[in-house]
PDB file of all heavy atoms in Angstrom:
ATOM      1  N   ARG U   1     252.057  53.236   4.195  1.00 76.00           N
ATOM      2  CA  ARG U   1     250.937  52.381   4.607  1.00 76.00           C
ATOM      3  C   ARG U   1     251.241  51.531   5.852  1.00 76.00           C
ATOM      4  O   ARG U   1     250.428  51.489   6.783  1.00 76.00           O
ATOM      5  CB  ARG U   1     250.521  51.482   3.437  1.00 76.00           C
ATOM      6  CG  ARG U   1     249.233  50.718   3.686  1.00 76.00           C
ATOM      7  CD  ARG U   1     248.926  49.805   2.503  1.00 76.00           C
ATOM      8  NE  ARG U   1     248.739  50.541   1.266  1.00 76.00           N
ATOM      9  CZ  ARG U   1     247.571  51.025   0.860  1.00 76.00           C
ATOM     10  NH1 ARG U   1     246.503  50.854   1.612  1.00 76.00           N
ATOM     11  NH2 ARG U   1     247.476  51.665  -0.280  1.00 76.00           N
ATOM     12  N   PRO U   2     252.390  50.850   5.953  1.00 73.00           N
ATOM     13  CA  PRO U   2     252.643  50.028   7.137  1.00 73.00           C
ATOM     14  C   PRO U   2     252.782  50.851   8.425  1.00 73.00           C
ATOM     15  O   PRO U   2     252.562  50.337   9.515  1.00 73.00           O
ATOM     16  CB  PRO U   2     253.967  49.327   6.813  1.00 73.00           C
ATOM     17  CG  PRO U   2     254.107  49.418   5.344  1.00 73.00           C
ATOM     18  CD  PRO U   2     253.464  50.711   4.959  1.00 73.00           C
ATOM     19  N   ILE U   3     253.159  52.120   8.285  1.00 74.00           N
ATOM     20  CA  ILE U   3     253.408  52.947   9.462  1.00 74.00           C
ATOM     21  C   ILE U   3     252.138  53.632   9.946  1.00 74.00           C
ATOM     22  O   ILE U   3     251.844  53.651  11.141  1.00 74.00           O
ATOM     23  CB  ILE U   3     254.483  54.015   9.148  1.00 74.00           C
ATOM     24  CG1 ILE U   3     255.762  53.324   8.655  1.00 74.00           C
ATOM     25  CG2 ILE U   3     254.773  54.888  10.364  1.00 74.00           C
ATOM     26  CD1 ILE U   3     256.791  54.286   8.107  1.00 74.00           C
ATOM     27  N   ALA U   4     251.383  54.207   9.030  1.00 73.00           N
ATOM     28  CA  ALA U   4     250.217  55.005   9.432  1.00 73.00           C
ATOM     29  C   ALA U   4     248.918  54.498   8.828  1.00 73.00           C
ATOM     30  O   ALA U   4     247.895  55.160   8.932  1.00 73.00           O
ATOM     31  CB  ALA U   4     250.436  56.463   9.039  1.00 73.00           C
ATOM     32  N   GLY U   5     248.940  53.342   8.180  1.00 76.00           N
ATOM     33  CA  GLY U   5     247.718  52.798   7.625  1.00 76.00           C
ATOM     34  C   GLY U   5     247.356  53.432   6.298  1.00 76.00           C
ATOM     35  O   GLY U   5     248.059  54.295   5.779  1.00 76.00           O
ATOM     36  N   PRO U   6     246.215  53.007   5.737  1.00 77.00           N
ATOM     37  CA  PRO U   6     245.817  53.472   4.398  1.00 77.00           C
ATOM     38  C   PRO U   6     245.509  54.962   4.332  1.00 77.00           C
ATOM     39  O   PRO U   6     245.579  55.556   3.268  1.00 77.00           O
ATOM     40  CB  PRO U   6     244.568  52.638   4.095  1.00 77.00           C
ATOM     41  CG  PRO U   6     244.027  52.261   5.441  1.00 77.00           C
ATOM     42  CD  PRO U   6     245.223  52.080   6.310  1.00 77.00           C
ATOM     43  N   TYR U   7     245.147  55.557   5.485  1.00 81.00           N
ATOM     44  CA  TYR U   7     244.757  56.967   5.445  1.00 81.00           C
ATOM     45  C   TYR U   7     245.926  57.881   5.091  1.00 81.00           C
ATOM     46  O   TYR U   7     245.764  58.859   4.365  1.00 81.00           O
ATOM     47  CB  TYR U   7     244.130  57.385   6.774  1.00 81.00           C
ATOM     48  CG  TYR U   7     242.834  56.677   7.053  1.00 81.00           C
ATOM     49  CD1 TYR U   7     242.745  55.694   8.032  1.00 81.00           C
ATOM     50  CD2 TYR U   7     241.701  56.970   6.304  1.00 81.00           C
ATOM     51  CE1 TYR U   7     241.558  55.027   8.271  1.00 81.00           C
ATOM     52  CE2 TYR U   7     240.497  56.305   6.528  1.00 81.00           C
ATOM     53  CZ  TYR U   7     240.438  55.340   7.525  1.00 81.00           C
ATOM     54  OH  TYR U   7     239.263  54.677   7.736  1.00 81.00           O
ATOM     55  N   ALA U   8     247.116  57.580   5.594  1.00 82.00           N
ATOM     56  CA  ALA U   8     248.273  58.407   5.268  1.00 82.00           C
ATOM     57  C   ALA U   8     248.569  58.335   3.774  1.00 82.00           C
ATOM     58  O   ALA U   8     248.839  59.350   3.123  1.00 82.00           O
ATOM     59  CB  ALA U   8     249.492  57.967   6.065  1.00 82.00           C
ATOM     60  N   THR U   9     248.507  57.125   3.210  1.00 83.00           N
ATOM     61  CA  THR U   9     248.734  56.962   1.778  1.00 83.00           C
ATOM     62  C   THR U   9     247.688  57.727   0.983  1.00 83.00           C
ATOM     63  O   THR U   9     247.989  58.422   0.005  1.00 83.00           O
ATOM     64  CB  THR U   9     248.673  55.475   1.392  1.00 83.00           C
ATOM     65  OG1 THR U   9     249.613  54.757   2.183  1.00 83.00           O
ATOM     66  CG2 THR U   9     248.983  55.277  -0.088  1.00 83.00           C
ATOM     67  N   LEU U  10     246.419  57.595   1.413  1.00 86.00           N
ATOM     68  CA  LEU U  10     245.317  58.273   0.726  1.00 86.00           C
ATOM     69  C   LEU U  10     245.491  59.785   0.792  1.00 86.00           C
ATOM     70  O   LEU U  10     245.413  60.480  -0.227  1.00 86.00           O
ATOM     71  CB  LEU U  10     243.988  57.858   1.357  1.00 86.00           C
ATOM     72  CG  LEU U  10     242.739  58.525   0.759  1.00 86.00           C
ATOM     73  CD1 LEU U  10     242.557  58.086  -0.692  1.00 86.00           C
ATOM     74  CD2 LEU U  10     241.508  58.174   1.589  1.00 86.00           C
ATOM     75  N   PHE U  11     245.751  60.303   1.999  1.00 88.00           N
ATOM     76  CA  PHE U  11     245.895  61.750   2.161  1.00 88.00           C
ATOM     77  C   PHE U  11     247.078  62.278   1.352  1.00 88.00           C
ATOM     78  O   PHE U  11     246.995  63.319   0.701  1.00 88.00           O
ATOM     79  CB  PHE U  11     246.078  62.104   3.643  1.00 88.00           C
ATOM     80  CG  PHE U  11     244.810  62.122   4.433  1.00 88.00           C
ATOM     81  CD1 PHE U  11     244.720  61.486   5.666  1.00 88.00           C
ATOM     82  CD2 PHE U  11     243.686  62.780   3.953  1.00 88.00           C
ATOM     83  CE1 PHE U  11     243.553  61.504   6.403  1.00 88.00           C
ATOM     84  CE2 PHE U  11     242.506  62.801   4.683  1.00 88.00           C
ATOM     85  CZ  PHE U  11     242.434  62.164   5.911  1.00 88.00           C
ATOM     86  N   PHE U  12     248.186  61.557   1.406  1.00 87.00           N
ATOM     87  CA  PHE U  12     249.382  62.026   0.709  1.00 87.00           C
ATOM     88  C   PHE U  12     249.162  62.030  -0.802  1.00 87.00           C
ATOM     89  O   PHE U  12     249.567  62.965  -1.502  1.00 87.00           O
ATOM     90  CB  PHE U  12     250.591  61.151   1.065  1.00 87.00           C
ATOM     91  CG  PHE U  12     251.901  61.837   0.840  1.00 87.00           C
ATOM     92  CD1 PHE U  12     252.504  62.574   1.847  1.00 87.00           C
ATOM     93  CD2 PHE U  12     252.538  61.770  -0.389  1.00 87.00           C
ATOM     94  CE1 PHE U  12     253.710  63.233   1.639  1.00 87.00           C
ATOM     95  CE2 PHE U  12     253.750  62.414  -0.609  1.00 87.00           C
ATOM     96  CZ  PHE U  12     254.330  63.150   0.416  1.00 87.00           C
ATOM     97  N   SER U  13     248.519  60.998  -1.308  1.00 88.00           N
ATOM     98  CA  SER U  13     248.279  60.913  -2.753  1.00 88.00           C
ATOM     99  C   SER U  13     247.290  61.972  -3.223  1.00 88.00           C
ATOM    100  O   SER U  13     247.453  62.547  -4.310  1.00 88.00           O
ATOM    101  CB  SER U  13     247.765  59.514  -3.113  1.00 88.00           C
ATOM    102  OG  SER U  13     248.713  58.534  -2.776  1.00 88.00           O
ATOM    103  N   ILE U  14     246.257  62.239  -2.431  1.00 90.00           N
ATOM    104  CA  ILE U  14     245.311  63.312  -2.769  1.00 90.00           C
ATOM    105  C   ILE U  14     246.033  64.653  -2.776  1.00 90.00           C
ATOM    106  O   ILE U  14     245.829  65.487  -3.663  1.00 90.00           O
ATOM    107  CB  ILE U  14     244.130  63.335  -1.770  1.00 90.00           C
ATOM    108  CG1 ILE U  14     243.238  62.109  -1.984  1.00 90.00           C
ATOM    109  CG2 ILE U  14     243.313  64.623  -1.927  1.00 90.00           C
ATOM    110  CD1 ILE U  14     242.148  61.954  -0.947  1.00 90.00           C
ATOM    111  N   GLY U  15     246.891  64.849  -1.777  1.00 90.00           N
ATOM    112  CA  GLY U  15     247.659  66.090  -1.718  1.00 90.00           C
ATOM    113  C   GLY U  15     248.571  66.248  -2.920  1.00 90.00           C
ATOM    114  O   GLY U  15     248.710  67.349  -3.468  1.00 90.00           O
ATOM    115  N   LEU U  16     249.188  65.154  -3.359  1.00 89.00           N
ATOM    116  CA  LEU U  16     250.074  65.196  -4.520  1.00 89.00           C
ATOM    117  C   LEU U  16     249.277  65.539  -5.778  1.00 89.00           C
ATOM    118  O   LEU U  16     249.722  66.347  -6.608  1.00 89.00           O
ATOM    119  CB  LEU U  16     250.777  63.851  -4.698  1.00 89.00           C
ATOM    120  CG  LEU U  16     251.710  63.725  -5.905  1.00 89.00           C
ATOM    121  CD1 LEU U  16     252.808  64.782  -5.856  1.00 89.00           C
ATOM    122  CD2 LEU U  16     252.322  62.329  -5.953  1.00 89.00           C
ATOM    123  N   PHE U  17     248.076  64.963  -5.914  1.00 92.00           N
ATOM    124  CA  PHE U  17     247.222  65.308  -7.053  1.00 92.00           C
ATOM    125  C   PHE U  17     246.865  66.794  -7.031  1.00 92.00           C
ATOM    126  O   PHE U  17     246.962  67.487  -8.053  1.00 92.00           O
ATOM    127  CB  PHE U  17     245.933  64.476  -7.029  1.00 92.00           C
ATOM    128  CG  PHE U  17     244.784  65.165  -7.713  1.00 92.00           C
ATOM    129  CD1 PHE U  17     244.796  65.343  -9.099  1.00 92.00           C
ATOM    130  CD2 PHE U  17     243.722  65.679  -6.978  1.00 92.00           C
ATOM    131  CE1 PHE U  17     243.748  66.017  -9.732  1.00 92.00           C
ATOM    132  CE2 PHE U  17     242.680  66.351  -7.597  1.00 92.00           C
ATOM    133  CZ  PHE U  17     242.689  66.513  -8.980  1.00 92.00           C
ATOM    134  N   ALA U  18     246.445  67.291  -5.848  1.00 91.00           N
ATOM    135  CA  ALA U  18     246.063  68.703  -5.737  1.00 91.00           C
ATOM    136  C   ALA U  18     247.246  69.608  -6.062  1.00 91.00           C
ATOM    137  O   ALA U  18     247.092  70.644  -6.723  1.00 91.00           O
ATOM    138  CB  ALA U  18     245.533  69.006  -4.336  1.00 91.00           C
ATOM    139  N   ALA U  19     248.442  69.226  -5.612  1.00 90.00           N
ATOM    140  CA  ALA U  19     249.648  70.012  -5.901  1.00 90.00           C
ATOM    141  C   ALA U  19     249.908  70.068  -7.404  1.00 90.00           C
ATOM    142  O   ALA U  19     250.236  71.128  -7.951  1.00 90.00           O
ATOM    143  CB  ALA U  19     250.848  69.405  -5.175  1.00 90.00           C
ATOM    144  N   GLY U  20     249.761  68.921  -8.066  1.00 90.00           N
ATOM    145  CA  GLY U  20     249.987  68.890  -9.503  1.00 90.00           C
ATOM    146  C   GLY U  20     248.945  69.672 -10.272  1.00 90.00           C
ATOM    147  O   GLY U  20     249.268  70.442 -11.183  1.00 90.00           O
ATOM    148  N   PHE U  21     247.685  69.518  -9.889  1.00 93.00           N
ATOM    149  CA  PHE U  21     246.607  70.183 -10.636  1.00 93.00           C
ATOM    150  C   PHE U  21     246.646  71.697 -10.466  1.00 93.00           C
ATOM    151  O   PHE U  21     246.467  72.440 -11.435  1.00 93.00           O
ATOM    152  CB  PHE U  21     245.243  69.647 -10.203  1.00 93.00           C
ATOM    153  CG  PHE U  21     244.106  70.237 -11.006  1.00 93.00           C
ATOM    154  CD1 PHE U  21     243.799  69.712 -12.249  1.00 93.00           C
ATOM    155  CD2 PHE U  21     243.381  71.311 -10.533  1.00 93.00           C
ATOM    156  CE1 PHE U  21     242.766  70.262 -13.012  1.00 93.00           C
ATOM    157  CE2 PHE U  21     242.354  71.866 -11.274  1.00 93.00           C
ATOM    158  CZ  PHE U  21     242.044  71.337 -12.524  1.00 93.00           C
ATOM    159  N   THR U  22     246.854  72.165  -9.235  1.00 92.00           N
ATOM    160  CA  THR U  22     246.884  73.620  -9.030  1.00 92.00           C
ATOM    161  C   THR U  22     248.029  74.257  -9.793  1.00 92.00           C
ATOM    162  O   THR U  22     247.864  75.307 -10.429  1.00 92.00           O
ATOM    163  CB  THR U  22     247.012  73.976  -7.536  1.00 92.00           C
ATOM    164  OG1 THR U  22     248.150  73.288  -6.972  1.00 92.00           O
ATOM    165  CG2 THR U  22     245.772  73.590  -6.753  1.00 92.00           C
ATOM    166  N   SER U  23     249.193  73.616  -9.770  1.00 90.00           N
ATOM    167  CA  SER U  23     250.336  74.162 -10.501  1.00 90.00           C
ATOM    168  C   SER U  23     250.139  74.030 -12.008  1.00 90.00           C
ATOM    169  O   SER U  23     250.594  74.878 -12.775  1.00 90.00           O
ATOM    170  CB  SER U  23     251.629  73.461 -10.068  1.00 90.00           C
ATOM    171  OG  SER U  23     251.910  73.725  -8.713  1.00 90.00           O
ATOM    172  N   ALA U  24     249.452  72.976 -12.439  1.00 92.00           N
ATOM    173  CA  ALA U  24     249.179  72.785 -13.861  1.00 92.00           C
ATOM    174  C   ALA U  24     248.242  73.864 -14.390  1.00 92.00           C
ATOM    175  O   ALA U  24     248.227  74.152 -15.592  1.00 92.00           O
ATOM    176  CB  ALA U  24     248.570  71.404 -14.107  1.00 92.00           C
ATOM    177  N   THR U  25     247.468  74.467 -13.504  1.00 92.00           N
ATOM    178  CA  THR U  25     246.557  75.553 -13.898  1.00 92.00           C
ATOM    179  C   THR U  25     247.235  76.911 -13.811  1.00 92.00           C
ATOM    180  O   THR U  25     247.063  77.764 -14.688  1.00 92.00           O
ATOM    181  CB  THR U  25     245.303  75.549 -13.005  1.00 92.00           C
ATOM    182  OG1 THR U  25     244.710  74.244 -13.027  1.00 92.00           O
ATOM    183  CG2 THR U  25     244.284  76.568 -13.484  1.00 92.00           C
ATOM    184  N   THR U  26     248.024  77.134 -12.758  1.00 91.00           N
ATOM    185  CA  THR U  26     248.614  78.453 -12.554  1.00 91.00           C
ATOM    186  C   THR U  26     249.818  78.722 -13.451  1.00 91.00           C
ATOM    187  O   THR U  26     250.055  79.875 -13.841  1.00 91.00           O
ATOM    188  CB  THR U  26     249.039  78.639 -11.088  1.00 91.00           C
ATOM    189  OG1 THR U  26     249.826  77.519 -10.661  1.00 91.00           O
ATOM    190  CG2 THR U  26     247.833  78.770 -10.178  1.00 91.00           C
ATOM    191  N   ALA U  27     250.593  77.704 -13.809  1.00 89.00           N
ATOM    192  CA  ALA U  27     251.766  77.923 -14.663  1.00 89.00           C
ATOM    193  C   ALA U  27     251.380  78.481 -16.044  1.00 89.00           C
ATOM    194  O   ALA U  27     251.962  79.474 -16.494  1.00 89.00           O
ATOM    195  CB  ALA U  27     252.586  76.644 -14.806  1.00 89.00           C
ATOM    196  N   PRO U  28     250.396  77.890 -16.740  1.00 92.00           N
ATOM    197  CA  PRO U  28     249.982  78.476 -18.023  1.00 92.00           C
ATOM    198  C   PRO U  28     249.416  79.889 -17.855  1.00 92.00           C
ATOM    199  O   PRO U  28     249.630  80.758 -18.704  1.00 92.00           O
ATOM    200  CB  PRO U  28     248.897  77.516 -18.520  1.00 92.00           C
ATOM    201  CG  PRO U  28     249.160  76.237 -17.826  1.00 92.00           C
ATOM    202  CD  PRO U  28     249.693  76.616 -16.477  1.00 92.00           C
ATOM    203  N   LEU U  29     248.678  80.104 -16.757  1.00 91.00           N
ATOM    204  CA  LEU U  29     248.104  81.427 -16.511  1.00 91.00           C
ATOM    205  C   LEU U  29     249.200  82.464 -16.310  1.00 91.00           C
ATOM    206  O   LEU U  29     249.145  83.572 -16.853  1.00 91.00           O
ATOM    207  CB  LEU U  29     247.196  81.364 -15.277  1.00 91.00           C
ATOM    208  CG  LEU U  29     246.316  82.581 -14.977  1.00 91.00           C
ATOM    209  CD1 LEU U  29     245.386  82.872 -16.154  1.00 91.00           C
ATOM    210  CD2 LEU U  29     245.509  82.347 -13.705  1.00 91.00           C
ATOM    211  N   ALA U  30     250.231  82.105 -15.545  1.00 87.00           N
ATOM    212  CA  ALA U  30     251.360  83.014 -15.319  1.00 87.00           C
ATOM    213  C   ALA U  30     252.084  83.309 -16.624  1.00 87.00           C
ATOM    214  O   ALA U  30     252.460  84.457 -16.903  1.00 87.00           O
ATOM    215  CB  ALA U  30     252.327  82.404 -14.309  1.00 87.00           C
ATOM    216  N   GLY U  31     252.296  82.277 -17.437  1.00 87.00           N
ATOM    217  CA  GLY U  31     252.952  82.471 -18.723  1.00 87.00           C
ATOM    218  C   GLY U  31     252.172  83.402 -19.627  1.00 87.00           C
ATOM    219  O   GLY U  31     252.751  84.243 -20.334  1.00 87.00           O
ATOM    220  N   ALA U  32     250.847  83.278 -19.612  1.00 89.00           N
ATOM    221  CA  ALA U  32     250.005  84.135 -20.444  1.00 89.00           C
ATOM    222  C   ALA U  32     250.042  85.581 -19.957  1.00 89.00           C
ATOM    223  O   ALA U  32     250.125  86.514 -20.761  1.00 89.00           O
ATOM    224  CB  ALA U  32     248.568  83.608 -20.436  1.00 89.00           C
ATOM    225  N   TYR U  33     249.982  85.782 -18.636  1.00 88.00           N
ATOM    226  CA  TYR U  33     250.050  87.140 -18.093  1.00 88.00           C
ATOM    227  C   TYR U  33     251.382  87.806 -18.443  1.00 88.00           C
ATOM    228  O   TYR U  33     251.440  88.974 -18.835  1.00 88.00           O
ATOM    229  CB  TYR U  33     249.894  87.115 -16.571  1.00 88.00           C
ATOM    230  CG  TYR U  33     248.473  87.150 -16.078  1.00 88.00           C
ATOM    231  CD1 TYR U  33     248.007  86.227 -15.135  1.00 88.00           C
ATOM    232  CD2 TYR U  33     247.582  88.125 -16.511  1.00 88.00           C
ATOM    233  CE1 TYR U  33     246.704  86.251 -14.659  1.00 88.00           C
ATOM    234  CE2 TYR U  33     246.272  88.159 -16.044  1.00 88.00           C
ATOM    235  CZ  TYR U  33     245.838  87.222 -15.120  1.00 88.00           C
ATOM    236  OH  TYR U  33     244.553  87.260 -14.650  1.00 88.00           O
TER     237      TYR U  33
END
C-alpha cells in the first residue's frame, strides 16, 4: 500500500482469492478423474 497505493493491495488480494478458488475447484476434480 505505501509503495503503490490501495490499488496494488486490492489487485494482489483479488488475485490471491482467484488463485485459491480456481485451485480449490480443480484439485477435487483432478482427484475424482
